[in-house]
Amino acid sequence: MDVSGILEEHKNKFKPIQVDRLIPTEFDLGLLACFDMNMLDDNRLRAGQQSRDRYLKELSREGAQQMINELFGLPTTVDEDSVYATLPKTTTVLPREKPIPKEKPPTRWEKFAKIKGIQKRKSTGKVFDEDQGEWRRKYGYKGVNNDDQKPWLIEVPGKADQYQDQYQVRRDEKKARIEKNTRRNQRNVEENVAVEKGMKPHEMRKRELQKALVLSKQSTASLGKFDTKLKGEPKTKGLKRKFDPLVGSADSEKSKNMDILNRVAKGESKATVINVRKAQRAVNNAKRAAASKSK
Amino acid sequence: NEIHPFEDETGIEFFARKNDSSLFAVGMHSKKRPHNLILGRTFNYQILDMIEMGVERCTTMQEHKSQACSVGMKPLMVFNGEAFNRDENLVRLKSILLDLFRGEVADKVSLKGLEYIITVTAGPPGPNGETGLVFFRTYTTSLKKSGLRQPRVELEEMGPSLDLRIRRVRLPTEDMWKLAVQVPKELKVVKVKNISRDGLGDKYGRVHLGKQEINKIQTRKVRALKKNLDGGKPGKRQKMDVDTE
């Protein structure tokens, strides 16, 4: 039985899928890309538009054929009537969009857990509710913990006032817990900021308080000279209010007033009037920005 | 709104920041640079690299009356020509085009969903060795029976085709590129060391002991092996002899 003849006939019915290349094509199937380093027929590329396009189409068909051959050789999974090929990891180096995020410094709890060796346990997040006979969330939407109906009866504890609303007590305690949690989160954030700046969080808080003190003193007409002092408050330096003497030379007073009048009459433009304070702050900011950039 | 990326980066950087996008394309036309197309990438909202090309010939999707493919498909990309590995500008172009047309990152692809292919071919270089034209073509694929597992591919030109001439290229600065290409520790491939399998499939591990000081190994104490016995105190030895005698 001459099977080879039949096979040849069968083969000739279909167009070939083999593509031969001198230098084997490189594939990056993770990106669905292939790189063909073979020599191109420059004459055909330099030729007229139509023949060039035909050559390009031939090249493209062969490239596509090679890729399809490779892709159909990958391990496949069947999912909902369609066959998926599992792509390998990409080999080409492509740049990231944004830099790698910095590691967050550990929170107070994380530090404690590390010292004690406490491991994080993963829970499913759902609790079985006996009354309803179904799995409900521990917290959140329709959660077990914020179900007002849950304890249909609360016993008055021994020491409490008889007429106190125990449901209200529950609600107040929950609010207090939430507040405590947010305060702790805020504290963690502040501590992270302080660590990033290189200061201890206690130091940072102290500095902020001192700054606030000085600013608040400036807001009084007497610059805080007569404010009641706190215990241990340092003496604020440099806050002085200067008053010109009531009786002085008439000339100096005249020249001062003339200055003011001239300025008003001229209508000085914003450009000539420099706010020294703002200018100094701008310069300081620029210096700080340059210093942090160069770091 | 005039944006000239090669002259002034701030325009692009502003848009990248506002739209939170890292790939950009700018098209413009001027007498000096007709039909200009600039493709580029940003890293951390700063321009990483960009390439300016002049479109010398272009055909639109409407001109090719073939069936367009569905939106959102991942294209197959083919790069023809060794120039894409040799010429600095073309290497950059290849990188940018791969990024631009990558689409959604996927680890699985439906074998029926390979609908279109983009081909980029490097034309012959100019007389002074300058980069030649780059031919950008798009085709839809149709998979036909071939009698074997892999189908036969037939192409039909769809979509835009462009003949591009590279004008200016802005390469990324060393340090920016290094940062952009950094792989975080978690994703780095960990090499498995000291574990091997033999022909039968058994797993073997290798344990490395340090240098062993044979003299100082703690063994069971045998009096006869004591160091002092030969050249030590003669008195003690003699005593023993007296006893046994």
Side-chain angles (χ1 to χ4, degrees):
Chain A
M1 216 174 126
D2 192 7
V3 196
S4 52
I6 302 171
L7 280 175
E8 274 235 34
E9 234 191 87
H10 181 82
K11 224 185 179 180
N12 291 337
K13 253 199 253 173
F14 303 106
K15 288 202 181 147
I17 60 158
Q18 280 298 105
V19 177
D20 295 314
R21 281 276 187 269
L22 214 59
I23 305 169
T25 328
E26 287 168 14
F27 295 95
D28 186 354
L29 293 173
L31 286 178
L32 293 178
C34 82
F35 313 108
D36 189 350
M37 298 297 143
N38 287 290
M39 297 276 287
L40 300 169
D41 191 349
D42 284 347
N43 295 326
R44 290 188 72 179
L45 286 175
R46 271 190 254 261
Q49 195 182 297
Q50 289 227 354
S51 83
R52 186 206 293 153
D53 281 348
R54 246 177 288 138
Y55 178 51
L56 289 174
K57 193 167 179 182
E58 273 174 41
L59 274 180
S60 313
R61 197 215 72 78
E62 291 177 343
Q65 183 69 65
Q66 290 179 323
M67 271 234 273
I68 294 279
N69 291 349
E70 288 291 315
L71 285 170
F72 273 70
L74 289 175
T76 55
T77 58
V78 183
D79 182 30
E80 297 170 359
D81 297 334
S82 48
V83 188
Y84 289 91
T86 328
L87 299 174
K89 282 203 174 150
T90 59
T91 46
T92 348
V93 175
L94 289 174
R96 292 174 66 99
E97 223 182 301
K98 301 199 179 104
I100 301 172
K102 279 188 248 183
E103 273 207 35
K104 279 187 281 189
T107 58
R108 278 196 185 201
W109 166 254
E110 283 173 358
K111 281 190 217 152
F112 177 76
K114 205 173 176 189
I115 295 169
K116 283 274 182 168
I118 301 172
Q119 303 281 357
K120 242 190 181 180
R121 257 187 290 155
K122 249 205 165 175
S123 59
T124 51
K126 299 225 173 182
V127 182
F128 191 66
D129 187 6
E130 300 289 336
D131 300 342
Q132 296 195 10
E134 52 183 24
W135 289 89
R136 277 168 72 192
R137 292 204 183 110
K138 228 200 268 175
Y139 52 85
Y141 179 63
K142 288 193 192 154
V144 174
N145 80 336
N146 57 9
D147 191 359
D148 264 338
Q149 307 293 323
K150 222 354 184 41
W152 54 272
L153 182 95
I154 306 181
E155 286 180 9
V156 175
K159 297 182 188 166
D161 176 24
Q162 264 198 38
Y163 294 100
Q164 194 184 35
D165 181 3
Q166 291 301 324
Y167 283 98
Q168 190 59 42
V169 167
R170 250 172 62 91
R171 263 178 260 141
D172 290 339
E173 279 179 353
K174 185 169 181 192
K175 262 203 175 162
R177 267 180 274 138
I178 293 171
E179 249 193 70
K180 192 175 175 195
N181 197 22
T182 42
R183 248 190 298 130
R184 291 209 160 150
N185 276 333
Q186 184 63 25
R187 186 179 64 179
N188 274 331
V189 168
E190 282 170 11
E191 287 192 350
N192 283 352
V193 169
V195 164
E196 251 182 59
K197 287 201 177 168
M199 285 193 273
K200 283 197 290 188
H202 178 74
E203 261 289 320
M204 193 152 164
R205 256 179 273 144
K206 199 169 163 191
R207 273 208 207 172
E208 273 183 30
L209 274 176
Q210 282 175 343
K211 204 169 159 187
L213 256 178
V214 172
L215 281 176
S216 67
K217 289 208 166 174
Q218 280 184 349
S219 56
T220 42
S222 58
L223 294 177
K225 210 156 72 162
F226 305 111
D227 289 344
T228 42
K229 282 217 175 70
L230 291 169
K231 192 170 159 190
E233 195 186 309
K235 186 173 158 204
T236 39
K237 297 187 196 168
L239 281 182
K240 267 196 187 161
R241 186 146 181 210
K242 202 174 150 199
F243 292 101
D244 292 332
L246 283 174
V247 182
S249 76
D251 281 332
S252 65
E253 207 183 317
K254 183 181 174 196
S255 60
K256 271 198 198 143
N257 289 331
M258 284 308 289
D259 264 336
I260 296 172
L261 279 175
N262 284 334
R263 273 216 206 135
V264 171
K266 227 199 281 180
E268 266 183 355
S269 58
K270 269 191 187 170
T272 51
V273 176
I274 305 173
N275 189 336
V276 177
R277 184 175 53 86
K278 280 192 179 174
Q280 189 61 39
R281 204 196 298 169
V283 167
N284 284 342
N285 281 344
K287 275 193 196 160
R288 222 182 296 141
S292 63
K293 219 177 184 181
S294 66
K295 261 189 196 172
Chain B
N1 245 348
E2 291 228 12
I3 301 181
H4 298 282
F6 276 87
E7 273 89 54
D8 180 20
E9 322 175 327
T10 53
I12 294 287
E13 293 185 353
F14 170 76
F15 279 116
R17 204 178 282 270
K18 282 286 169 175
N19 294 321
D20 193 20
S21 68
S22 60
L23 293 162
F24 67 89
V26 181
M28 55 177 124
H29 178 79
S30 70
K31 205 159 151 208
K32 188 175 179 194
R33 287 179 229 280
H35 307 298
N36 216 16
L37 177 67
I38 301 179
L39 296 175
R41 300 187 272 223
T42 65
F43 172 72
N44 199 16
Y45 307 122
Q46 292 174 321
I47 293 186
L48 180 66
D49 54 3
M50 52 187 169
I51 184 158
E52 180 183 58
M53 300 168 284
V55 182
E56 305 221 333
R57 214 195 109 228
C58 154
T59 53
T60 60
M61 278 176 86
Q62 285 95 339
E63 286 175 43
H64 297 283
K65 291 164 201 127
S66 85
Q67 213 183 29
C69 71
S70 18
V71 189
M73 291 274 144
K74 273 176 79 107
L76 298 174
M77 300 209 62
V78 180
F79 288 84
N80 288 316
E82 56 180 7
F84 279 112
N85 263 11
R86 298 265 184 85
D87 190 338
E88 212 179 32
N89 297 339
L90 290 181
V91 170
R92 206 36 57 186
L93 179 65
K94 182 171 82 171
S95 179
I96 292 183
L97 287 177
L98 278 173
D99 234 342
L100 193 64
F101 290 107
R102 186 175 186 182
E104 258 183 54
V105 180
D107 52 354
K108 282 195 288 197
V109 73
S110 165
L111 290 175
K112 278 189 248 170
L114 304 165
E115 281 184 29
Y116 79 112
I117 161 173
I118 297 178
T119 319
V120 189
T121 318
N128 300 330
E130 356 161 308
T131 319
L133 280 179
V134 174
F135 305 108
F136 179 97
R137 300 280 181 275
T138 324
Y139 306 93
T140 34
T141 59
S142 47
L143 305 175
K144 303 234 159 76
K145 276 204 229 179
S146 70
L148 301 159
R149 187 166 178 228
Q150 297 96 331
R152 159 100 182 166
V153 174
E154 292 296 345
L155 300 179
E156 216 190 304
E157 189 152 2
M158 156 259 256
S161 74
L162 312 162
D163 290 357
L164 306 162
R165 182 167 304 277
I166 304 214
R167 287 189 186 143
R168 288 184 288 184
V169 175
R170 159 92 84 90
L171 300 168
T173 49
E174 271 283 339
D175 27 322
M176 214 198 253
W177 182 253
K178 262 199 187 156
L179 276 177
V181 166
Q182 251 177 4
V183 180
K185 255 196 303 182
E186 287 84 4
L187 288 178
K188 279 203 188 137
V189 184
V190 180
K191 276 194 277 186
V192 178
K193 291 176 162 184
N194 297 323
I195 293 182
S196 57
R197 283 184 183 271
D198 75 354
L200 297 168
D202 293 330
K203 202 171 183 182
Y204 283 89
R206 213 188 239 186
V207 178
H208 294 267
L209 299 170
K211 187 175 179 187
Q212 292 182 316
E213 300 237 10
I214 301 172
N215 303 334
K216 295 190 181 153
I217 293 181
Q218 179 90 309
T219 51
R220 283 188 71 191
K221 293 191 180 154
V222 179
R223 189 132 184 231
L225 298 172
K226 245 188 167 181
K227 264 189 186 167
N228 288 333
L229 228 44
D230 270 311
K233 293 186 193 166
K236 254 193 175 170
R237 194 82 200 283
Q238 274 177 12
K239 258 193 191 167
M240 269 212 70
D241 287 346
V242 165
D243 278 340
T244 50
E245 246 174 78

